[in-house]
Amino acid sequence: MTTNVTGTVARALRGGFLGGGFMAAVHSRAVRAARATPALIAASNPGSSAMAAEDLGIAAVASDPAALIASDVDVVHVCTPNSTHAAFAGSALAAGKHVICEKPLAISVGDAEVLAATARTSGLIAAVPFVYRYHPMVREARARIAKGELGALLTLDCSYLQDWLLDSGDVDWRVNPALGGSSRAFADIGSHLCDLIEFVTGERIVRLGARTRTVHTERAGSAVTTEDIAAVLFELSGGALGTMLVSQTAPGRKNALVLEVHGTAESVRFVQERPDELWVGRRTGSYVLLRDPETASPDAARLSLVPAGHPMGYQDAFNAFIADAYAAVRGEQVDGLPTFEDGLRAVRLTQAVLDSAATKQWIEVTEAAPR
Ligand code: SOE
């Protein structure tokens, strides 16, 4: 319960979580940091729900997802396997709940289009955690590009590399297309990369050519059709050419998202595993800019919770995303919140990658997400 400065009592917003895994833990910590209440959880069965509630310090358990959606929570967090996103997010919107749905928004363009259209007309907040937008130095890069400090954009060198699926014995629900969808590596992490490319540059990927590779065609005795690796060549609306390399079989790379943009005047390079830094490249006098709210652009300063020299990280970025989403639920204006429109965009781009890999052709990506 909180009392605002006018003396009226405003109830803290209540969040409900579908799913009890790693992302539910990240979401619930962020809800608590936003001075909201992690109120209810429904995992895959009553036993795992009770365990997750205990582990995450969540006050109550719902008997099933439908009961959670029908409860008095204000925001439903969908942290379940990809194939369930469309049904759960759609039901929550229909019940008048604000929704934060993990990416990918859906495992088909059709389902993502329905969700985005429903959210658009609902008047509700419907967000997707493209959380890397919330590192302050990403906002610094975006601000510098928007101010023209890089000049005209020429090339981009981007990658997102992990190694948690390196061995044939590594398994996860994402490998099974019935649960994860027909794309795995690109839908799971390439979606972050293409969202960040378009968010930071303010431009759209207008065409792409892709190749994919499934390193292990069998895992734990089951055939595998989803890709471990995607290599993408793309063109932006302003004419810049770029590459994306996405892999979940790159030994030693844990969560290595890298975005490098080259313009006619300057370059910038953001490395997610060193989020307090931004490399600024010049023909003479390149340097590493360290996060400092005293000198940063307004948006980077806004997201800087602590002074220079106090490293911020992944959970801080996630906390900032949830704080903005819950501020939007309260009717406040926030800049750069990734919505279901952006989730639909990422699903379209993922489908374009699969189509190009299948046909060995360039694919035109024409639908620009409304901003
Ligand atoms: C696994 O690849 C994963 O947890 C993704 O699902 C997240 O979106 C990414 O941020 C970190 O890695």
Side-chain angles (χ1 to χ4, degrees):
M1 185 77 77
T2 60
T3 303
N4 61 28
V5 291
T6 58
T8 56
V9 174
R11 171 176 67 77
L13 290 171
R14 293 164 54 82
F17 307 89
L18 298 180
F22 163 65
M23 288 318 299
V26 173
H27 281 241
S28 61
R29 284 196 289 265
V31 166
R32 198 168 274 117
R35 295 191 299 281
T37 303
L40 205 55
I41 189 165
S44 53
N45 61 64
S48 53
S49 296
M51 194 180 306
E54 172 72 22
D55 290 347
L56 306 186
I58 293 175
V61 169
S63 55
D64 58 30
L68 185 142
I69 290 168
S71 73
D72 69 345
V73 299
D74 303 291
V75 184
V76 174
H77 295 249
V78 181
C79 304
T80 51
N82 301 345
S83 58
T84 66
H85 290 182
F88 287 157
S91 298
L93 289 172
K97 305 297 183 184
H98 305 281
V99 181
I100 296 175
C101 182
E102 268 297 328
K103 31 51 59 186
L105 178 60
I107 58 173
S108 75
V109 170
D111 283 352
E113 285 174 335
V114 169
L115 283 172
T118 305
R120 205 175 299 140
T121 56
S122 70
L124 295 164
I125 298 304
V128 176
F130 287 126
V131 66
Y132 300 112
R133 295 184 178 198
Y134 280 83
H135 283 300
M137 299 314 275
V138 166
R139 298 293 175 115
E140 182 67 26
R142 180 181 182 235
R144 287 171 174 239
I145 290 172
K147 285 189 286 187
E149 292 184 15
L150 274 66
L153 304 188
L154 298 175
T155 48
L156 296 88
D157 175 14
C158 311
S159 57
Y160 196 159
L161 306 176
Q162 300 176 330
D163 67 4
W164 66 287
L165 287 169
L166 174 62
D167 299 328
S168 60
D170 297 321
V171 290
D172 182 77
W173 56 261
R174 292 176 179 81
V175 175
N176 175 358
L179 293 176
S182 47
S183 167
R184 186 217 325 146
F186 199 86
D188 186 19
I189 59 176
S191 55
H192 280 296
L193 195 52
C194 56
D195 175 76
L196 210 57
I197 288 165
E198 295 195 330
F199 179 68
V200 169
T201 64
E203 296 190 20
R204 292 287 170 266
I205 295 171
V206 291
R207 60 185 61 83
L208 62 81
R211 294 291 185 274
T212 58
R213 185 180 174 202
T214 301
V215 172
H216 301 298
T217 55
E218 185 178 305
R219 290 179 182 264
S222 299
V224 176
T225 58
T226 54
E227 82 282 0
D228 294 299
I229 299 166
V232 183
L233 182 61
F234 64 90
E235 186 173 343
L236 290 186
S237 41
L241 294 178
T243 58
M244 281 188 261
L245 182 62
V246 174
S247 171
Q248 295 181 312
T249 57
R253 291 302 185 193
K254 301 307 178 185
N255 199 37
L257 183 159
V258 177
L259 175 72
E260 183 166 322
V261 186
H262 315 107
T264 50
E266 289 185 349
S267 303
V268 288
R269 179 182 181 87
F270 175 75
V271 178
Q272 193 277 145
E273 292 179 347
R274 294 200 307 277
D276 265 15
E277 300 174 4
L278 186 71
W279 175 77
V280 180
R282 290 175 173 170
R283 188 157 182 179
T284 54
S286 301
Y287 61 95
V288 174
L289 181 67
L290 299 180
R291 182 184 60 79
D292 183 348
E294 298 296 313
T295 56
S297 64
D299 209 13
R302 172 179 80 92
L303 296 175
S304 290
L305 292 182
V306 288
H310 299 69
M312 293 180 68
Y314 172 82
Q315 186 69 54
D316 295 307
F318 216 101
N319 292 358
F321 160 68
I322 294 292
D324 267 9
Y326 275 55
V329 167
R330 292 193 302 272
E332 297 170 33
Q333 289 301 311
V334 293
D335 176 36
L337 183 72
T339 68
F340 277 20
E341 299 297 344
D342 302 293
L344 167 57
R345 179 69 183 166
V347 173
R348 289 193 195 284
L349 286 163
T350 300
Q351 188 56 54
V353 165
L354 293 182
D355 292 349
S356 178
T359 63
K360 306 285 190 286
Q361 300 296 316
W362 278 95
I363 300 293
E364 297 296 316
V365 186
T366 50
E367 301 83 0
R371 286 290 175 200

